[in-house]
């Protein structure tokens, strides 16, 4: 069964075509920096490797270019669109409606659209991916895998806000949690690696969006993002935690409109707001050259992560492992070092040499004496989505 996975993010589209159940990757790629004249188009199939700059200003254009490449006579891997049997879509927000992987129909699309109010940077891009995939692959089953699903196990004391209870019961205002596909995948890989009974783990997903999850007995028990994927850690362009009084001050005293506040907090804050850059590679390079704003942004990011490690260690009454994952977590030895510095009270001791030496799989970067394991675990949201899509198609008798 050929399953195409589309992970349509705020500024990127990642895609992979899997042969299931073998899990063989037929081709894979990504488009990064969508919206710029220098978007990077990547495609890798058996004997073909493409990486080039292209002008890709919209997600729609990006998906069209991916579909063209899949069907390309020389570099492609399929002849006809009908050879794609199912498309698994990463969908960020499933609100209270979706706690499981779901076959997409009209009602599901309407709900995903409605939940755009909760995830304005993501759900519209996810929905666009779905609509276009339906056009290009009309015979394929379209399946949505929700980022919110893994966090359904959070206890009420963690997911409820201290606001009038009616807002929770009648309007579903609560913490939902995000990046669930990634946190689930990396924590399962870590469980296999650690081979110990019910370890208490904190997974730290640091990509363009950033979040942390406290995981006990393999289940999410607390999480840094809440009602929408906007609070918690400092992100590429999102502020993460702020005092909500700032919103009142901006609107009541400084003349900000509601829309301007939203734009500022979601698109002009975080690393971008602090430094003018939202790509950590640029910030690290600038910090090295002596840019004080960039150095401080790195320090602030690491400090916020440290505080959540402290909070979640308390929440779980212990800690056996921390897991770094996603673009920054897997690649930035600098940030990992800053996070793990002066954490000996928690039993976290980084091995500097191991931290610097990269390898492709899961790797342990703590010292031999560290009480807590520090693991770099490459995330693979696409494989997780493929597995869930395959399982659902099997359950619904849509196998091939
Ligand atoms: P993701 O959302 O997981 O694709 O991660 C995107 C983020 O990862 C961007 O902010 C990139 O700057 C960051 N990133 C990717 N590669 C590296 C690297 N080698 N060093 C530091 N950050 C990186």
């Amino acid at each position: 069964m050929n399953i195409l996975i589309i992970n349509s993010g705020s500024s990127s589209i990642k895609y992979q075509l899997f042969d299931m159940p073998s899990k063989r990757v037929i081709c894979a790629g990504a488009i990064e920096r969508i919206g710029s004249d220098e978007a990077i188009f990547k495609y890798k199939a058996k004997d073909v490797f493409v990486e080039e700059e292209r002008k890709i200003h919209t997600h729609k254009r990006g998906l069209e270019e991916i579909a063209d490449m899949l069907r390309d006579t020389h570099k492609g891997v399929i002849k006809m669109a009908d050879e794609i049997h199912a498309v698994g879509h990463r969908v960020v927000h499933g609100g209270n409606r979706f706690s499981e992987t779901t076959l997409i129909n009209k009602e599901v699309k309407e709900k995903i659209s409605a939940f755009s109010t909760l995830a304005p940077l993501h759900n519209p891009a996810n929905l666009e991916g779905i609509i276009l995939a339906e056009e290009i692959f009309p015979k394929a089953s379209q399946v949505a895998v929700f980022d919110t699903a893994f966090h359904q196990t959070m206890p009420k004391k963690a997911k409820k806000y201290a606001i009038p209870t009616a807002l929770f019961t009648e309007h579903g205002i609560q913490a939902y949690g995000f990046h669930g596909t990634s946190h689930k995948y990396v924590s399962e890989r870590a469980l296999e690696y650690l081979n110990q009974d019910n370890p208490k783990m904190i997974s730290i997903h640091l990509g363009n969006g950033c979040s942390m999850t406290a995981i006990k007995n393999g289940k999410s028990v607390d999480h840094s993002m809440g009602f929408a994927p906007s609070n918690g850690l400092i992100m590429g362009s999102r502020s993460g935690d702020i005092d909500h009084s700032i919103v009142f001050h901006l609107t009541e005293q400084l003349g900000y409109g509601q829309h301007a506040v939203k734009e500022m907090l979601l698109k002009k804050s975080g690393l971008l707001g602090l430094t003018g850059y939202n790509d950590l590679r640029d910030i690290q390079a600038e910090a090295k050259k002596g840019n004080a704003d960039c150095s401080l942004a790195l320090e602030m990011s690491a400090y916020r992560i440290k505080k959540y490690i402290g909070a979640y260690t308390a929440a779980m009454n212990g800690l056996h492992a921390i897991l770094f994952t996603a673009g920054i977590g897997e690649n930035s030895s600098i940030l990992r070092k800053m996070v793990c510095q002066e954490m000996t009270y928690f039993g976290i001791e980084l091995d500097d040499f191991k931290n610097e030496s990269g390898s492709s799989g899961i790797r342990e970067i703590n010292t031999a004496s560290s009480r807590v394991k520090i693991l770099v675990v490459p995330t693979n949201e696409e494989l997780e989505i493929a597995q869930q899509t395959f399982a659902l198609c099997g359950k619904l008798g849509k196998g091939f």
Side-chain angles (χ1 to χ4, degrees):
M1 184 173 185
N2 290 334
I3 300 185
L4 177 66
I5 303 310
I6 295 178
N7 181 350
S8 182
S10 45
S11 64
S12 66
I13 302 172
K14 293 178 189 159
Y15 63 96
Q16 281 190 36
L17 181 59
F18 287 91
D19 172 56
M20 294 298 280
S22 76
K23 300 183 193 170
R24 184 172 65 88
V25 178
I26 299 168
C27 72
I31 304 177
E32 292 164 5
R33 305 186 189 201
I34 292 177
S36 83
D37 280 355
E38 290 139 24
I40 300 161
F41 182 93
K42 294 182 189 169
Y43 172 82
K44 195 165 179 276
K46 201 167 166 233
D47 298 316
V48 186
F49 182 73
V50 177
E51 181 168 342
E52 58 199 22
E53 280 183 7
R54 294 185 183 180
K55 283 184 189 175
I56 301 176
H57 288 141
T58 62
H59 284 74
K60 185 170 191 300
R61 185 70 220 131
L63 280 164
E64 282 165 356
E65 297 222 4
I66 292 166
D68 287 347
M69 186 57 106
L70 292 181
R71 289 177 299 197
D72 186 272
T73 343
H74 303 295
K75 298 176 183 163
V77 287
I78 55 171
K79 289 198 181 70
M80 293 180 310
D82 293 358
E83 289 170 47
I84 302 295
H85 303 122
V87 184
H89 297 267
R90 174 191 178 208
V91 180
V92 166
H93 212 307
N96 253 340
R97 169 69 178 78
F98 302 108
S99 54
E100 286 185 352
T101 294
T102 307
L103 195 68
I104 296 170
N105 57 23
K106 191 163 168 279
E107 187 247 333
V108 173
K109 280 184 282 181
E110 281 166 6
K111 289 285 180 220
I112 292 171
S113 172
F115 295 137
S116 292
T117 52
L118 305 180
L121 291 183
H122 296 95
N123 271 32
N126 302 155
L127 187 60
E128 202 169 353
I130 291 168
I131 292 167
L132 203 76
E134 284 176 331
E135 281 171 25
I136 300 172
F137 309 108
K139 295 236 172 101
S141 305
Q142 306 285 336
V143 171
V145 179
F146 295 94
D147 266 17
T148 39
F150 181 58
H151 302 293
Q152 296 297 312
T153 48
M154 280 200 291
K156 260 193 194 155
K157 67 181 173 188
K159 71 180 172 195
K160 212 174 155 198
Y161 293 111
I163 55 178
T165 292
L167 291 169
F168 173 68
T169 48
E170 290 167 30
H171 298 285
I173 295 183
Q174 61 169 81
Y176 288 98
F178 297 90
H179 293 143
T181 313
S182 174
H183 289 292
K184 180 172 187 289
Y185 181 83
V186 297
S187 59
E188 285 173 356
R189 296 296 76 74
L191 277 173
E192 287 162 10
Y193 178 86
L194 295 168
N195 193 23
Q196 113 186 39
D197 280 342
N198 301 325
K200 295 168 181 173
M201 302 189 286
I202 298 173
S203 64
I204 309 172
H205 177 111
L206 304 175
N208 198 32
C210 301
S211 69
M212 288 171 62
T213 305
I215 300 165
K216 205 172 166 186
N217 299 340
K219 304 214 178 316
S220 168
V221 293
D222 207 344
H223 179 73
S224 62
M225 284 172 161
F227 180 61
S230 50
N231 63 316
L233 304 182
I234 295 172
M235 308 182 216
S237 67
R238 286 168 266 175
S239 66
D241 293 337
I242 61 158
D243 179 344
H244 55 247
S245 314
I246 295 168
V247 175
F248 310 140
H249 186 77
L250 290 170
T251 52
E252 291 165 9
Q253 308 296 333
L254 299 184
Y256 273 68
Q258 203 183 337
H259 181 71
V261 174
K262 199 163 147 187
E263 286 284 300
M264 186 273 285
L265 289 175
L266 298 179
K267 296 189 177 169
K268 297 179 185 164
S269 294
L271 296 173
L272 181 66
L274 291 170
T275 68
Y277 304 95
N278 74 349
D279 191 311
L280 198 82
R281 285 166 285 202
D282 297 331
I283 294 166
Q284 290 180 167
E286 280 295 312
K288 224 173 172 178
K289 285 192 245 161
N291 181 323
D293 288 341
C294 288
S295 295
L296 182 60
L298 288 170
E299 270 183 58
M300 288 171 68
S301 299
Y303 182 64
R304 185 80 56 89
I305 297 166
K306 277 169 178 276
K307 289 206 290 188
Y308 271 94
I309 291 176
Y312 290 166
T313 305
M316 295 189 288
N317 188 25
L319 180 64
H320 297 108
I322 58 173
L323 325 174
F324 285 99
T325 195
I328 295 170
E330 290 167 34
N331 295 301
S332 175
S333 56
I334 298 173
L335 198 70
R336 289 195 301 261
K337 185 171 176 162
M338 292 174 83
V339 168
C340 295
Q341 245 159 17
E342 297 180 6
M343 293 289 271
T344 46
Y345 183 79
F346 288 90
I348 295 172
E349 287 175 31
L350 186 77
D351 182 313
D352 283 332
F353 179 73
K354 289 181 184 164
N355 184 38
E356 293 298 336
S357 38
S359 74
S360 53
I362 185 166
R363 61 198 176 97
E364 190 173 320
I365 58 169
N366 49 274
T367 61
S369 59
S370 180
R371 271 188 288 119
V372 170
K373 298 275 189 205
I374 309 170
L375 304 178
V376 178
V377 189
T379 192
N380 195 336
E381 288 167 289
E382 288 74 19
L383 177 57
E384 183 63 35
I385 295 169
Q387 291 181 160
Q388 294 194 31
T389 302
F390 181 68
L392 182 69
C393 287
K395 210 162 107 187
L396 299 176
K398 289 183 178 285
F400 288 83

